[in-house]
């Protein structure tokens, strides 16, 4: 099991394309100059969106590889011989303010998700791995007031994340999953529906008047700063994730998997 953005902050789908070539194992018999997606020759056929600055190495299927970001020398995770489950959890950073360096346009976000999936699904890809299960998680809902407060606290000059914008990225992630017939977890809708239901309940109960307005519209129940999940938000995501895994790949449910089974 592997989560593509593990160990790194400020990840977007663009940076995911950079690291994917190091995390995903190269299939046996693949040529070193072969494209992971469309079969074209040459390194620059697939080192897109800033990945040209990263030195790529091709290893045998049963090897381990390490590499690092050129700007800060932080190491990539080791590459294992076979990935059982790849979880693509992107969108929160992609949906950032256009002035924020993490921002990725919506259309590119969708294309990047498809690119990452195609790396593992396309038989012509040097990373083709039909045995690898792929699951998409949407970005979570955003608490606008909390997000604005966080940005003001740190004095960031670009604008805060906005829920109405993140919703579009969540919908795009679901569209990609449905179009490619892939399982997904819609954590945006899960949080948003619970927040809205709670607000309706509070509005209908005069006895709960004191709980109606804490300044964050109820998003603080699931978010720690308007963007990142708190303990309850993580519990919700975990329950939905395990439910989705159990429905689609019961053999990968935690009750059937030990630590030694994460990688083959």
């Amino acid at each position: 099991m592997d989560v593509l953005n593990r160990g790194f902050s400020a990840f977007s789908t663009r940076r995911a394309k950079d690291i994917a070539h190091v995390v995903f194992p190269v299939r046996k018999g693949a040529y070193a100059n072969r494209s992971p997606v469309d079969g074209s020759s040459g390194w620059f056929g697939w080192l897109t969106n800033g990945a040209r600055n990263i030195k790529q190495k091709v290893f045998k299927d049963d090897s381990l590889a390490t590499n690092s970001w050129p700007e800060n020398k932080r190491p990539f995770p080791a590459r294992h011989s076979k990935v059982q489950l790849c979880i693509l959890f992107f969108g929160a950073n992609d949906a950032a303010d256009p002035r924020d360096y993490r921002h990725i346009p919506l259309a590119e976000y969708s294309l990047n998700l498809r690119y990452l999936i195609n790396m593992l699904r396309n038989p012509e890809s040097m990373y083709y791995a039909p045995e690898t299960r792929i699951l998409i998680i949407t970005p979570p809902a955003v608490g606008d007031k909390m997000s604005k407060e966080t940005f003001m606290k740190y004095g960031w000059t670009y604008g805060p994340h906005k829920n109405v914008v993140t919703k579009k990225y969540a919908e795009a992630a679901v569209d990609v999953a449905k179009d490619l017939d892939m399982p997904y977890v819609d954590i945006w809708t899960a949080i948003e529906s619970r927040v809205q239901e709670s607000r309706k309940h509070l509005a209908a109960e005069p006895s709960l008047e004191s709980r109606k307005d804490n300044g964050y519209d109820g998003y603080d129940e699931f978010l720690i700063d308007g963007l990142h999940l708190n303990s309850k938000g993580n519990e919700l995501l975990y329950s939905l994730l395990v439910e989705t895994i159990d429905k689609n790949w019961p053999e990968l449910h935690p009750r059937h998997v030990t630590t030694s089974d994460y990688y083959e």
Side-chain angles (χ1 to χ4, degrees):
M1 181 182 295
D2 212 336
V3 179
L4 192 53
N5 66 354
R6 64 174 183 167
F8 300 95
S9 62
F11 245 59
S12 67
T13 52
R14 186 180 293 169
R15 300 205 92 188
K17 290 171 66 178
D18 296 353
I19 193 176
H21 305 285
V22 179
V23 174
F24 294 150
V26 178
R27 63 184 174 88
K28 290 182 178 179
Y31 294 103
N33 66 342
R34 194 172 188 178
S35 164
V37 175
D38 58 17
S40 63
S41 63
W43 291 110
F44 295 106
W46 55 277
L47 294 180
T48 59
N49 287 332
R52 288 184 173 89
N53 293 324
I54 297 179
K55 295 180 180 179
Q56 300 292 334
K57 297 181 180 180
V58 176
F59 294 82
K60 294 180 179 179
D61 186 62
D62 59 352
S63 67
L64 297 179
T66 58
N67 209 328
S68 61
W69 290 113
E71 64 268 28
N72 56 23
K73 306 304 180 184
R74 293 173 62 188
F76 285 127
R79 174 164 54 190
H80 292 261
S81 62
K82 184 181 293 184
V83 180
Q84 296 280 347
L85 173 62
C86 175
I87 299 174
L88 301 177
F89 187 8
F90 295 103
N93 290 318
D94 299 66
D97 184 272
R99 294 168 292 176
D100 189 331
Y101 75 94
R102 298 170 296 178
H103 171 76
I104 303 297
L106 183 60
E108 183 183 348
Y109 168 72
S110 295
L111 289 175
N112 287 344
L113 286 178
R114 291 177 182 274
Y115 177 95
L116 292 166
I117 295 165
N118 205 32
M119 284 181 65
L120 299 177
R121 280 197 165 183
N122 189 341
E124 295 299 315
S125 167
M126 63 192 298
Y127 299 94
Y128 178 56
E131 73 285 347
T132 298
R133 295 81 158 179
I134 308 175
L135 186 151
I136 290 178
I137 302 177
T138 73
V142 172
D144 289 340
K145 294 180 180 179
M146 295 177 71
S147 179
K148 183 177 180 179
E149 184 178 280
T150 299
F151 273 65
M152 291 178 64
K153 175 183 177 181
Y154 291 102
W156 292 328
T157 56
Y158 42 83
H161 291 74
K162 296 181 179 179
N163 198 32
V164 65
V165 175
T166 302
K167 177 183 179 182
K168 296 178 181 179
Y169 285 74
E171 291 173 340
V174 171
D175 287 343
V176 169
K178 289 182 175 179
D179 185 47
L180 300 179
D181 192 26
M182 293 176 50
Y184 64 91
V185 172
D186 187 356
I187 188 62
W188 188 96
T189 296
I191 291 176
E192 185 68 18
S193 62
R194 284 165 174 77
V195 168
Q196 296 305 323
E197 185 63 30
S198 179
R199 293 178 67 179
K200 290 180 181 179
H201 178 64
L202 292 176
E205 291 290 339
S207 61
L208 301 177
E209 183 68 32
S210 61
R211 294 177 50 194
K212 286 186 178 181
D213 184 15
N214 61 1
Y216 297 133
D217 299 326
Y219 289 93
D220 57 320
E221 184 176 357
F222 301 98
L223 305 170
I224 194 170
D225 57 4
L227 178 64
H228 299 95
L229 300 173
N230 60 18
S231 59
K232 187 170 183 178
N234 276 303
E235 288 175 1
L236 174 60
L237 175 57
Y238 175 78
S239 66
L240 295 173
L241 181 59
V242 170
E243 177 183 318
T244 303
I245 290 174
D246 192 34
K247 178 181 178 181
N248 293 276
W249 312 291
E251 69 277 10
L252 292 185
H253 190 281
R255 65 174 174 266
H256 300 310
V257 180
T258 63
T259 303
S260 61
D261 295 325
Y262 285 163
Y263 298 100
E264 292 183 1

